Amino acid sequence: MGALNIVFGVVILIINGWMANGLSMNYYIMTCPIADIIVRNVVQTALQSDPTFAAGLIRMHFHDCFVEGCDGSVLIDSTKSNTAEKDSPVNLSLRGYEIIDAAKRALERQCPGVVSCADIVAMAARDAVFFSGGPLYEIPKGRRDGTRSQIQDTFFNLPGPSLNASGLIAAFGKRGFTAQDMVALSGAHTLGVARCSSFKPRLDAADPTIDTSFAKTLSKTCSSGDDTEQPFDLTRNTFDTNYFSALQRRAGVLFSDQTLFESPATRGLVNMYAFNRAMFNMDFQRAMIKMGLLDVKEGTNGEIRSNCHVIN
Ligand code: HEM
Ligand SMILES: *[C@@H]1O[C@H](CO)[C@@H](O)[C@H](O)[C@H]1NC(C)=O
Ligand SMILES: *[C@@H]1O[C@H](CO)[C@@H](O)[C@H](O)[C@H]1NC(C)=O
């Protein structure tokens, strides 16, 4: 009887692909079967005209998930009576909102009122990884959109660039991530840039963990102002292991990047990922799927927003 139940359960699991939390790989199979394809096409088109948006989309998913769970709260606009997450100083130059909007418009034409903004953010991040040369992976869907987006929620939930390895391990650990998840996820910095203001404190403090010639590079970037962008690695639009190689050369841009190599707790992981791209890809995709399940709303919680910028 018990065995039969287990067999039955496994069959159901396979048929539906359900995850324990109510999300599933084929969540939209009856209601919007080409949802993934629609998002993928919109993202592909956008990245063909500006590949730097891949970084923006991946980062947006991170910021969405770490504040109030992956519920699209990062997309909400402020109103007269509410300052939203988006307008926090730690929104850290988030980009790619237009791409999410374009995908939402295309989805609403095809299957109105069905696909959540939170799922669009998660799918767009997945596609951005793939189109910049990273792994191709499938993600569970069924996240519902949240109805809260408040500036103060960003202050304690997002780890800052001045954290050392133990601080990062603690910040991610609190949300259920291992040190290995954290290092793999930090590998997202294989894409994109940081602005001078995010690393200037290291120069002011003459941080000894910066290679001397790289310190000159960073100073030169800052000589053009606080908003000047410094790529994290030599290939800012390509998903590769150059970020980890940079850390080995002490050419990490943020303190929170370089500390991963300086700390004995995480150095082995940096060395492994620098050396083994397949391992990085595998751990990264696993950690992204895990991040995409953080405090998701499903069932009767949340809503399907009709405009990603406003609560229904
Ligand atoms: C480990 C803790 C992390 C810290 C302290 C951190 C901090 C930062 C900072 C300060 C910037 C630069 C912002 C600016 O100056 O405009 C940045 C950029 C970025 N972050 Fe992180 N981050 C972390 C983890 C992550 C994770 C988990 C992801 C995604 C999975 C991610 C994806 C990105 C991307 C792609 C960029 C570049 C954005 C662009 O070029 O538009 N970061 N991060
Ligand atoms: C980020 O926040 C600043 C205020 O700190 C605001 O001026 C800016 O428009 C915000 N950026 C985005 C993309 O919302
Ligand atoms: C990491 O940072 C915390 C908090 O700032 C500090 O107490 C701790 O000593 C630091 N750890 C190391 C190894 O530097």
Side-chain angles (χ1 to χ4, degrees):
M1 188 61 192
L4 194 67
N5 270 339
I6 290 171
V7 170
F8 193 63
V10 169
V11 169
I12 293 289
L13 205 72
I14 291 168
I15 292 173
N16 288 325
W18 288 104
M19 312 284 293
N21 47 29
L23 271 61
S24 83
M25 293 296 184
N26 47 22
Y27 187 83
Y28 294 116
I29 194 153
M30 302 305 282
T31 50
C32 196
I34 60 167
D36 287 275
I37 296 169
I38 292 176
V39 174
R40 184 161 295 158
N41 287 342
V42 169
V43 171
Q44 183 172 27
T45 306
L47 296 184
Q48 273 162 357
S49 64
D50 185 350
T52 67
F53 275 114
L57 291 172
I58 294 165
R59 183 153 190 249
M60 185 183 289
H61 185 40
F62 167 50
H63 280 222
D64 188 26
C65 293
F66 266 64
V67 184
E68 282 288 306
C70 317
D71 67 347
S73 54
V74 71
L75 304 171
I76 296 291
D77 287 341
S78 294
T79 60
K80 277 203 187 80
S81 55
N82 179 50
T83 307
E85 292 171 23
K86 204 183 244 189
D87 288 317
S88 166
V90 296
N91 70 22
L92 302 149
S93 52
L94 283 179
R95 337 169 33 238
Y97 294 107
E98 311 77 6
I99 302 172
I100 304 298
D101 292 340
K104 180 64 172 175
R105 276 195 303 273
L107 285 163
E108 289 298 302
R109 277 197 298 273
Q110 196 64 226
C111 16
V114 169
V115 181
S116 68
C117 299
D119 272 350
I120 298 173
V121 172
M123 289 189 271
R126 170 203 62 193
D127 298 334
V129 169
F130 174 66
F131 288 121
S132 37
L136 175 65
Y137 55 94
E138 202 34 83
I139 58 165
K141 288 155 293 263
R143 297 165 191 79
R144 291 170 64 83
D145 294 324
T147 51
R148 172 191 172 100
S149 178
Q150 299 193 355
I151 184 170
Q152 66 270 22
D153 296 339
T154 64
F155 296 145
F156 300 104
N157 292 309
L158 288 165
S162 63
L163 289 182
N164 61 25
S166 28
L168 291 169
I169 290 171
F172 278 73
K174 221 168 50 187
R175 314 303 294 272
F177 297 94
T178 64
Q180 187 152 350
D181 294 333
M182 183 273 289
V183 176
L185 286 170
S186 296
H189 291 175
T190 180
L191 297 172
V193 297
R195 289 158 308 136
C196 167
S197 52
S198 299
F199 54 82
K200 196 166 68 174
R202 303 182 72 196
L203 301 174
D204 297 341
D207 179 347
T209 67
I210 318 180
D211 165 78
T212 36
S213 107
F214 190 64
K216 287 186 190 121
T217 304
L218 293 181
S219 299
K220 190 156 169 269
T221 300
C222 283
S223 67
S224 312
D226 277 3
D227 281 335
T228 314
E229 296 176 346
Q230 172 67 44
F232 283 112
D233 68 13
L234 299 169
T235 48
R236 62 175 282 186
N237 294 325
T238 309
F239 192 97
D240 55 23
T241 57
N242 284 344
Y243 163 76
F244 294 108
S245 320
L247 303 186
Q248 292 177 314
R249 293 193 311 274
R250 298 225 153 95
V253 173
L254 303 175
F255 179 80
S256 55
D257 294 320
Q258 193 57 50
T259 188
L260 301 177
F261 182 72
E262 303 308 319
S263 165
T266 46
R267 175 181 283 198
L269 292 164
V270 170
N271 288 334
M272 175 175 75
Y273 292 145
F275 175 73
N276 190 335
R277 182 176 185 155
M279 191 74 91
F280 170 47
N281 281 353
M282 198 166 71
D283 284 359
F284 182 80
Q285 81 180 57
R286 209 186 351 236
M288 281 292 275
I289 291 169
K290 184 168 170 181
M291 187 176 87
L293 297 174
L294 195 55
D295 299 334
V296 290
K297 299 173 175 62
E298 48 92 22
T300 53
N301 294 320
E303 59 182 23
I304 305 297
R305 247 175 249 153
S306 43
N307 172 350
C308 291
H309 291 255
V310 291
I311 292 158
N312 285 351

